[in-house]
Amino acid sequence: MNSIITAVDLYKSFSLGEVEIEVLKGIDLSIYPGEFVSIMGPSGSGKSTLLYLLGGLDKPTRGAISLLGHPLNDMGDEEESIMRRRNIGFVFQFYNLVPNLNVEENILLPILLDGKKAKNYKDTVQNILETVGLKHRRFHTSRELSGGEQQRVAIARALINDPEIIMADEPIGNLDTQTGTEIMLLLQEINREQQKTIVQLTHSHEAAAYGNRIIQVKDGKVWN
Ligand code: ADP
Ligand code: MG
C-alpha cells in the first residue's frame, strides 16, 4: 500500500541569535492510510516541530515530505495551503477556538477560509455534531463550554472539510483523565468508522495506546 504521509531524512534547525539548535536530525517515517499513529517522545523532543513539518505548517531545513503522494517541496505556498486545508484537520492541546463565536461558527471557520458558503454545510454540521456528541451545544459560545466540550468542537472543526488526515498535537494534554479517555475514544471511533488517518502526538503511554502504532522520537531521531 502507498503511504499517505512520508518523510525522508528530515532535518530542522532553529537559530536563536548566534546559536543554532538542531531539533530534528534525520527523520524517516511512513504513515499508511487508515492508521492511527501515536508519535511519542518526552517534552522538548521535537514532536510538535515534526508534526508542523508533516502538516505543511513549517518547512524543513532539509529533507522531503510527501502528502497523499504529492511532494511538498514541489508545491508553491498557495498550492500547499489548499492541499493542507482540504486534506488535513488539525487539533491542538488548547483547542484554539474563537471565544466569541458559537460552536457552529467555530466548526465552519475552515469552510469560510476556503471561500465556500456556510449555508451549504448545515446538514454536514449537524452530522458532525452528532459524531462528536454536541448537538445540544450548537449555538453556545465556546467560552460556555467545558474543556472536553471545547476539544470536541475542535475535532468537529477538523472534520468539516472531510479530510483524509487528522493531526492532533497532545489533544488530551490539558484535560482530566476521565475526559481525556472520552476524547481518545472519540478519536478512535473516527479512525475506525470513518477510516481517517490519525497522527497524534503524546508523551503519555496511556494516550499512545489508543493508536495502532507508536513511533518514538528521541534526540531528533526515530527510535523503534
Ligand atoms: P515537543 O513538542 O516534543 O515538546 P517541540 O517540537 O515543541 O517539542 O520543541 C523541540 C525543541 O525545539 C525545543 O527545544 C524548542 O524550544 C525548540 N523550538 C521549537 N520551535 C521553535 C522555534 N520556533 N524557535 C526556536 N526554537 C524552537
Ligand atoms: Mg509539543
Side-chain angles (χ1 to χ4, degrees):
M1 201 194 320
N2 291 328
S3 61
I4 190 164
I5 305 170
T6 313
V8 180
D9 212 21
L10 277 191
Y11 283 77
K12 180 69 179 176
S13 307
F14 296 104
S15 318
L16 295 172
E18 305 278 282
V19 190
E20 173 122 328
I21 49 165
E22 197 167 54
V23 179
L24 303 180
K25 305 170 190 172
I27 297 263
D28 290 290
L29 56 80
S30 295
I31 294 172
Y32 295 89
E35 281 199 293
F36 183 164
V37 171
S38 302
I39 298 180
M40 275 200 84
S43 179
S45 58
K47 301 183 295 299
S48 296
T49 302
L50 174 60
L51 197 76
Y52 295 163
L53 299 183
L54 297 179
L57 295 171
D58 197 1
K59 299 214 182 298
T61 309
R62 63 187 169 96
I65 296 162
S66 59
L67 278 181
L68 297 111
H70 304 286
L72 294 187
N73 289 354
D74 298 351
M75 278 181 210
D77 289 347
E78 175 71 15
E79 198 186 349
E80 185 176 316
S81 83
I82 291 171
M83 168 87 181
R84 183 171 60 235
R85 280 208 302 271
R86 306 251 161 101
N87 298 299
I88 308 175
F90 289 94
V91 176
F92 299 98
Q93 180 175 356
F94 297 104
Y95 331 124
N96 293 15
L97 302 179
V98 181
N100 291 328
L101 296 185
N102 70 29
V103 166
E104 174 175 77
E105 291 162 339
N106 268 288
I107 295 171
L108 285 168
L109 276 178
I111 294 297
L112 300 174
L113 288 174
D114 227 1
K116 298 185 206 146
K117 291 208 162 44
K119 69 172 177 1
N120 297 334
Y121 285 81
K122 293 283 173 193
D123 292 346
T124 311
V125 170
Q126 184 70 3
N127 290 339
I128 292 175
L129 283 171
E130 177 122 33
T131 301
V132 303
L134 283 183
K135 266 165 71 178
H136 57 303
R137 292 282 195 230
R138 187 165 182 154
F139 302 109
H140 289 235
T141 59
S142 56
R143 64 169 92 248
E144 295 173 294
L145 306 178
S146 69
E149 287 172 329
Q150 290 185 59
Q151 196 58 299
R152 287 172 189 273
V153 177
I155 292 169
R157 181 182 55 191
L159 289 171
I160 189 71
N161 270 322
D162 195 23
E164 305 277 330
I165 303 165
I166 305 277
M167 294 188 172
D169 188 347
E170 306 265 4
I172 64 169
N174 194 42
L175 300 172
D176 63 80
T177 311
Q178 168 67 27
T179 309
T181 301
E182 289 165 16
I183 294 293
M184 289 317 305
L185 290 171
L186 173 60
L187 289 173
Q188 205 171 50
E189 178 189 320
I190 289 166
N191 169 250
R192 289 182 182 165
E193 293 181 11
Q194 303 187 23
Q195 284 81 48
K196 303 285 184 206
T197 304
I198 299 186
V199 184
Q200 75 154 335
L201 307 183
T202 182
H203 58 268
S204 135
H205 286 279
E206 287 88 25
Y210 286 90
N212 39 43
R213 182 157 67 97
I214 293 176
I215 295 176
Q216 294 269 5
V217 174
K218 216 175 96 191
D219 302 329
K221 295 194 160 111
V222 170
W223 295 64
N224 267 2

